[in-house]
Amino acid sequence: PSQLPTPLPSASPSQLPTPAPSHIPTISPMPTAAPTPVRSLNPTTADTITVSVSLGLAGAAACPSDAQSILLMNQVAAALGVSAGALKGFSVLCTEEVARRRRLLLLPAPSGATDGAAAPIDTARALATYSWALDFDVVVSLAASGEAEPAAFEGKVATSLADPAFLSVVFTAFGATVDSSPRITLQTRHPTSAPSPVPTPFPVIAPT
């Protein structure tokens, strides 16, 4: 062990007291004093109309190509008085329809026949035609529709798709006839509710 004793502790306390704390408090950054502005009271998409349409074409000679589908979409849009972009989800489903056409053939009379009459033979052959099923939504604003009420625009869609001019355009372009009873449905819209008109309160501006 060490031969030297441990030194004696000091008999007098330190003459320097602990420094006084700062009198200046820490200041946090001042928040903005302005409240958030009042939001618009108008609900969103207040005048949007959506009309769902299912329309059938019959008697086409083949399924439509991509170019024919685009042409048909443009013809529908023109008939409705809207842009092609207003037709959402436009699709064409093609289905083959097989029909049988009967015809009567007259063959020469068989040898030995006394009356010399031709022998009729009834034959049948299969003819393939195609039906096209169109599905799309017409989405426009009430102002752009030119109508005062959504129901009036729904009626306009039905009338336009039954117009003889439209039927003639489709038959000339595709050799198909338009179904006389398309399915047309006005979609019920639920706009978002108006936000609260009360702005947020002023934040506390006192330092922490």
Side-chain angles (χ1 to χ4, degrees):
S2 173
Q3 300 298 318
L4 298 177
T6 57
L8 293 176
S10 174
S12 58
S14 171
Q15 300 300 316
L16 298 177
T18 303
S22 170
H23 293 285
I24 303 176
T26 302
I27 305 298
S28 60
M30 297 290 288
T32 177
T36 57
V38 178
R39 290 174 288 179
S40 170
L41 301 183
N42 296 324
T44 58
T45 61
D47 67 343
T48 301
I49 307 172
T50 301
V51 176
S52 296
V53 178
S54 294
L55 180 67
L57 276 65
C63 289
S65 63
D66 290 343
Q68 287 176 318
S69 296
I70 294 174
L71 174 60
L72 181 57
M73 180 176 66
N74 289 331
Q75 290 175 340
V76 170
L80 300 180
V82 300
S83 67
L87 306 185
K88 307 300 184 182
F90 190 93
S91 65
V92 182
L93 176 63
C94 180
T95 305
E96 182 180 8
E97 305 288 345
V98 177
R100 289 193 171 272
R101 175 178 293 176
R102 307 188 70 84
R103 59 179 184 164
L104 192 64
L105 298 180
L106 294 178
L107 300 181
S111 60
T114 57
D115 56 1
I121 296 179
D122 190 14
T123 65
R125 61 173 180 166
L127 296 176
T129 60
Y130 297 83
S131 62
W132 301 354
L134 281 61
D135 286 286
F136 56 91
D137 291 337
V138 187
V139 182
V140 296
S141 68
L142 183 60
S145 73
E147 303 294 337
E149 297 292 338
F153 181 70
E154 178 188 15
K156 176 183 177 180
V157 171
T159 301
S160 300
L161 295 179
D163 188 278
F166 172 68
L167 305 184
S168 175
V169 166
V170 171
F171 184 80
T172 301
F174 309 107
T177 57
V178 179
D179 186 357
S180 59
S181 56
R183 213 167 52 244
I184 299 173
T185 307
L186 176 64
Q187 299 295 329
T188 302
R189 182 188 55 79
H190 299 287
T192 57
S193 57
S196 170
V198 181
T200 57
F202 281 92
V204 177
I205 60 175
T208 57

